[in-house]
Amino acid sequence: MTRLVRAALLQETNRGSVDANLGAIEAGLRAAAAKGVQLVLLQELHNGPYFCQHESVAEFDRAEPIPGPSTARIGALAEELKLVVVASLFERRAAGLYHNAAVVFDCKKEICGKYRKMHIPDDPAFYEKFYFTPGDLGFAPIQTSLGKLGVLVCWDQWYPEAARLMALAGADLLLYPTAIGWDPNDDAAEKSRQCDAWVTVQRGHAIANGLPLLACNRTGFEAAPTSSIESGGRGLQFWGSSFVAGPQGEVLAQASTDNPELLIAEVDLARSESVRRIWPFLRDRRIDAYGDLLKRYRD
Amino acid sequence: MTRLVRAALLQETNRGSVDANLGAIEAGLRAAAAKGVQLVLLQELHNGPYFCQHESVAEFDRAEPIPGPSTARIGALAEELKLVVVASLFERRAAGLYHNAAVVFDCKKEICGKYRKMHIPDDPAFYEKFYFTPGDLGFAPIQTSLGKLGVLVCWDQWYPEAARLMALAGADLLLYPTAIGWDPNDDAAEKSRQCDAWVTVQRGHAIANGLPLLACNRTGFEAAPTSSIESGGRGLQFWGSSFVAGPQGEVLAQASTDNPELLIAEVDLARSESVRRIWPFLRDRRIDAYGDLLKRYRD
C-alpha cells in the first residue's frame, strides 16, 4: 500500500515588488504542474521582503484582506493547474488587527482553509509581535483532496506542542512556510548550528509524530531598512535549505542555501501507518501526567 | 559566565552477571573520577542483560528494592569518588509491582532522588509492559550539587512532552539511560534511519528547550532467550552511539556503535541562558491553546 503525493517546495527570493514575486510564484506553479506535482508549498510572506526587520507603521500597507487580490490570483492558478497550494500572506482583518496567515487552495479558486500563525516571535530583526496578532484559529489541520494538511508557520516550527496537536487532529503531513536567516555578524560556527538546529527540531517533530514534513524557507540577502540600520540592523541572509522529511525524520530532499529552487519530492503518506506500527508513540502518551504543559512554568 | 560540568557516559555491554556488570561500572566510575569527571550517566538496566526480549516470570528475580544492594554499592562509590551518578535499576516495589527506575546519587551514599520511567514501550523484543508499571512520580527534576537533573528513561526520549515538563520544572540538563538496538533482520538503510531518528528526536528536545542533553545507550549483541527464538526472536544488536548535545542540539561528543566506552564531554550549563535569550521559546508558548495535549486523540 502506498499513497504517493508528489510535492514541491518553491524556495524563492524577494524580487522587489508584489507583482514580480507573484510572477515568480506563477512561473514556479506552472513548472511544478508540468512536472506532475500535486502539492506546492510556498515560503512565508512570499509577496514581499521580510518587512519585520524593523517596526514601521507604513509596512501595514502591505497587508490585504483574505479573500483578496492575492488569494484571487493564486486561487485561479490552483484551479487552472489542478494544484493544492499552501500560500502565506500578511492578512488585514480590520484596522489595527493583522495576522500572519497561511491559505490553502485545493485545485479550485476558492479558499479551502486558513491558518493564522499561533506562535509569534520577537527578536532583533524579527519584530513580528508589532505586526501580527497571535492566531485565534487554533491548531486545526486543513482537509484537502490529498489529505489533511497540518499547516503551521515559521516560529511554530520550534514548538513540539504545535506539531503534536496537528498529529492528534489527524494531520497526514506537517507543512511550514518559513522566513529564517542569519545575522551576517554571526560567525560560521554559529550560523551552522542555527541552520542545523532549524532542520533538526523539525525532523524531530516528524519522528515524534510519525509524519512527513515539508519546510519551505526563503533565500537571498535582504538589507536592513534605514531605521533598522540606525539601531544596528545588519540585514538578514535567509538560509534557504528548504527540505522534505519522511516519518522517521529521514531527509528526502533538500534545497541549497542560496538559490531560488523548485524542490520536488515524492512523499508516501501511507508510510506513517507502518512507521507508527513499529514506533507507536501515540499509544503510550501519559495524558494523565501532562497537565502542567498548560502552565507557563512549573514554579 | 560559564558553569562547566565535566560529564561522562559509561556505555557498557552485558558482561554476564550482576557482579561482573557492577564491576565494570566500578572500574568506569574510578576511571571517570581520575579524569576529573563530576557526573556519570549509566545505561538503562545496567545490572544485567536486556531481559525484556521475552516475557518470563523468572526474570522478576532480577528486580531488587530501592534502596537495596545495588544502590548501596553504587552509593558507596559516589561518596568515595565524589561523583554525581545516575543509575538505572529494575525496582521491586512489592510482589507483583515493579518499575524501571533511575536513581541519582550526589557524592554521598544516600539516594538523592529517584525517577520511575513514565512511558513504557511494548514491541516485539521490547516487552516492557509485562515487567514495568508506568511511573507514578511524574516528571520531576532531581536537585543535585551540580544542578537540576531532568532524568528520563529510554522510551521517554521519543516524547517531547516529557522533556518539556522537565524544562518547565527548571531542569538544567536532560539525561536518558537507554537500551535500544537493531533487529538483525532489518536492512542497513532501516538501521541507519532508526539510529539517526533516535539521535535526532533527542537533539530536537535539546533545541526546543534550550538544554544540554546526555543519552547513554548499551552496546553489544544479546541473543534471543530460547522462548523468544521460538516465537521468531532474533536477538538485539544494541547500537551504542551514546552522545552529548548542547542547548542548540549541537553534538558535543558521540561514542561508537559497537564498543564499551567512557565518553567524556564538558557541558556548560550557563549556555542555556544565552541560547534562550536568542531563541526565547518558553516566552511564546500558547498555553491557552494547548488543552488538547491532554487528550488521547482529537476525534
Side-chain angles (χ1 to χ4, degrees), chain A residues 37-92:
Chain A
V37 163
Q38 301 162 280
L39 165 68
V40 180
L41 173 63
L42 304 179
Q43 80 209 23
E44 188 183 16
L45 300 170
H46 45 67
N47 274 9
Y50 181 71
F51 54 85
C52 315
Q53 283 202 56
H54 68 158
E55 298 192 3
S56 163
V57 293
E59 298 289 3
F60 286 105
D61 288 342
R62 298 183 188 276
E64 57 177 286
I66 296 175
S70 292
T71 61
R73 182 160 176 186
I74 298 167
L77 288 164
E79 179 160 297
E80 177 196 339
L81 303 169
K82 296 294 167 233
L83 288 170
V84 172
V85 180
V86 180
S88 167
L89 297 167
F90 184 14
E91 178 187 15
R92 184 188 185 281

Side-chain angles (χ1 to χ4, degrees), chain A residues 163-171 209 276 282 285, chain B residues 161 292-299:
Chain A
R164 182 68 99 202
L165 284 164
M166 286 296 190
L168 292 179
N209 296 290
R276 285 190 184 174
L282 295 188
R285 294 176 68 242
Chain B
E161 293 92 342
D292 282 359
L293 290 172
L294 308 186
K295 289 189 179 168
R296 181 65 60 213
Y297 200 68
R298 300 174 71 192
D299 52 5

Side-chain angles (χ1 to χ4, degrees), chain A residues 5-178:
Chain A
V5 169
R6 198 164 162 81
L9 281 54
L10 184 54
Q11 172 174 300
E12 263 296 338
T13 190
N14 177 39
R15 293 175 186 273
S17 71
V18 176
D19 202 57
N21 286 331
L22 284 174
I25 287 167
E26 176 171 344
L29 294 180
R30 291 191 183 282
K35 292 181 179 178
V37 163
Q38 301 162 280
L39 165 68
V40 180
L41 173 63
L42 304 179
Q43 80 209 23
E44 188 183 16
L45 300 170
H46 45 67
N47 274 9
Y50 181 71
F51 54 85
C52 315
Q53 283 202 56
H54 68 158
E55 298 192 3
S56 163
V57 293
E59 298 289 3
F60 286 105
D61 288 342
R62 298 183 188 276
E64 57 177 286
I66 296 175
S70 292
T71 61
R73 182 160 176 186
I74 298 167
L77 288 164
E79 179 160 297
E80 177 196 339
L81 303 169
K82 296 294 167 233
L83 288 170
V84 172
V85 180
V86 180
S88 167
L89 297 167
F90 184 14
E91 178 187 15
R92 184 188 185 281
R93 189 173 178 187
L97 183 56
Y98 302 81
H99 294 284
N100 185 328
V103 183
V104 175
F105 300 89
D106 185 9
C107 309
K108 290 186 191 149
K109 65 178 192 298
E110 291 79 22
I111 291 168
C112 168
K114 185 166 74 171
Y115 169 79
R116 290 183 176 134
K117 188 172 182 175
M118 291 287 283
H119 300 96
I120 307 294
D122 199 286
D123 296 295
F126 296 87
Y127 300 105
E128 295 198 17
K129 287 195 196 295
F130 176 69
Y131 295 105
F132 310 126
T133 296
D136 56 355
L137 299 176
F139 300 97
I142 295 167
Q143 182 73 59
T144 71
S145 54
L146 297 174
K148 275 180 135 176
L149 307 191
V151 177
L152 296 160
V153 176
C154 202
W155 193 238
D156 292 324
Q157 64 210 167
W158 302 97
Y159 292 82
E161 293 92 341
R164 182 68 99 202
L165 284 164
M166 286 296 190
L168 292 179
D172 292 301
L173 67 172
L174 300 169
L175 304 97
Y176 297 87
T178 304

Side-chain angles (χ1 to χ4, degrees), chain A residues 117-123 129 134-136 138-141 155 158-162 164-171 180 190 193-194 196-198 200-201 203-204 207-208 239 248-250 271 276-299, chain B residues 117-123 129 134-136 138-141 155 158-162 164-171 180 190 193-194 196-198 200-201 203-204 207-208 239 248-250 271 276-299:
Chain A
K117 188 172 182 175
M118 291 287 283
H119 300 96
I120 307 294
D122 199 286
D123 296 295
K129 287 195 196 295
D136 56 355
F139 300 97
W155 193 238
W158 302 97
Y159 292 82
E161 293 92 341
R164 182 68 99 202
L165 284 164
M166 286 296 190
L168 292 179
I180 192 166
E190 174 65 19
R193 278 195 301 273
Q194 289 187 5
D196 195 29
W198 175 78
T200 301
V201 77
R203 290 177 61 207
I207 297 161
W239 66 51
Q248 284 179 311
E250 72 276 23
R271 226 173 88 68
R276 285 190 184 174
R277 286 184 189 191
I278 61 161
W279 287 344
F281 305 138
L282 295 188
R283 182 190 64 193
D284 297 330
R285 294 176 68 242
R286 289 295 303 271
I287 54 175
D288 61 306
Y290 288 170
D292 282 359
L293 290 172
L294 308 187
K295 289 188 179 168
R296 181 65 60 212
Y297 201 66
R298 301 174 70 192
D299 50 8
Chain B
K117 187 173 183 172
M118 291 287 282
H119 300 96
I120 307 295
D122 199 285
D123 296 294
K129 287 194 195 297
D136 57 355
F139 300 98
W155 193 238
W158 301 98
Y159 291 84
E161 293 92 342
R164 181 69 98 201
L165 285 164
M166 287 297 191
L168 293 178
I180 191 165
E190 174 65 18
R193 277 195 302 273
Q194 289 187 5
D196 194 28
W198 174 78
T200 301
V201 77
R203 290 177 61 207
I207 296 161
W239 67 49
Q248 285 180 309
E250 71 277 23
R271 228 173 86 69
R276 285 189 184 175
R277 286 184 189 191
I278 61 160
W279 287 343
F281 306 138
L282 294 189
R283 181 191 62 191
D284 297 329
R285 294 176 69 242
R286 290 295 304 270
I287 54 174
D288 60 305
Y290 289 170
D292 282 359
L293 290 172
L294 308 186
K295 289 189 179 168
R296 181 65 60 213
Y297 200 68
R298 300 174 71 192
D299 52 5

Side-chain angles (χ1 to χ4, degrees), chain B residues 16-202:
Chain B
S17 72
V18 176
D19 202 55
N21 285 333
L22 284 174
I25 286 167
E26 177 170 345
L29 294 179
R30 291 190 183 284
K35 292 181 177 176
V37 164
Q38 301 161 280
L39 164 69
V40 181
L41 173 63
L42 305 179
Q43 79 209 26
E44 189 182 15
L45 300 170
H46 46 66
N47 274 10
Y50 182 70
F51 54 84
C52 313
Q53 283 201 58
H54 67 158
E55 297 193 5
S56 163
V57 293
E59 298 289 3
F60 287 104
D61 287 343
R62 298 184 187 275
E64 58 176 287
I66 297 176
S70 292
T71 62
R73 182 161 176 187
I74 298 167
L77 288 164
E79 179 160 297
E80 178 196 338
L81 302 169
K82 296 295 169 233
L83 287 171
V84 173
V85 180
V86 180
S88 167
L89 297 167
F90 184 14
E91 178 187 13
R92 184 189 185 283
R93 190 173 178 184
L97 181 57
Y98 302 81
H99 294 284
N100 185 328
V103 183
V104 174
F105 301 89
D106 185 9
C107 309
K108 291 188 190 147
K109 65 179 192 297
E110 291 79 20
I111 290 168
C112 169
K114 185 166 75 172
Y115 168 79
R116 288 180 177 137
K117 187 173 183 172
M118 291 287 282
H119 300 96
I120 307 295
D122 199 285
D123 296 294
F126 296 88
Y127 300 105
E128 295 199 18
K129 287 194 195 297
F130 176 69
Y131 294 105
F132 309 126
T133 295
D136 57 355
L137 299 176
F139 300 98
I142 296 166
Q143 182 73 59
T144 71
S145 54
L146 297 174
K148 274 181 135 175
L149 306 190
V151 177
L152 295 159
V153 177
C154 203
W155 193 238
D156 292 324
Q157 64 210 170
W158 301 98
Y159 291 84
E161 293 92 342
R164 181 69 98 201
L165 285 164
M166 287 297 191
L168 293 178
D172 292 302
L173 67 172
L174 300 169
L175 305 97
Y176 296 88
T178 304
I180 191 165
W182 290 303
D183 177 338
N185 237 35
D186 279 333
D187 65 23
E190 174 65 18
K191 286 178 180 171
S192 166
R193 277 195 302 273
Q194 289 187 5
C195 182
D196 194 28
W198 174 78
V199 172
T200 301
V201 77
Q202 293 179 85

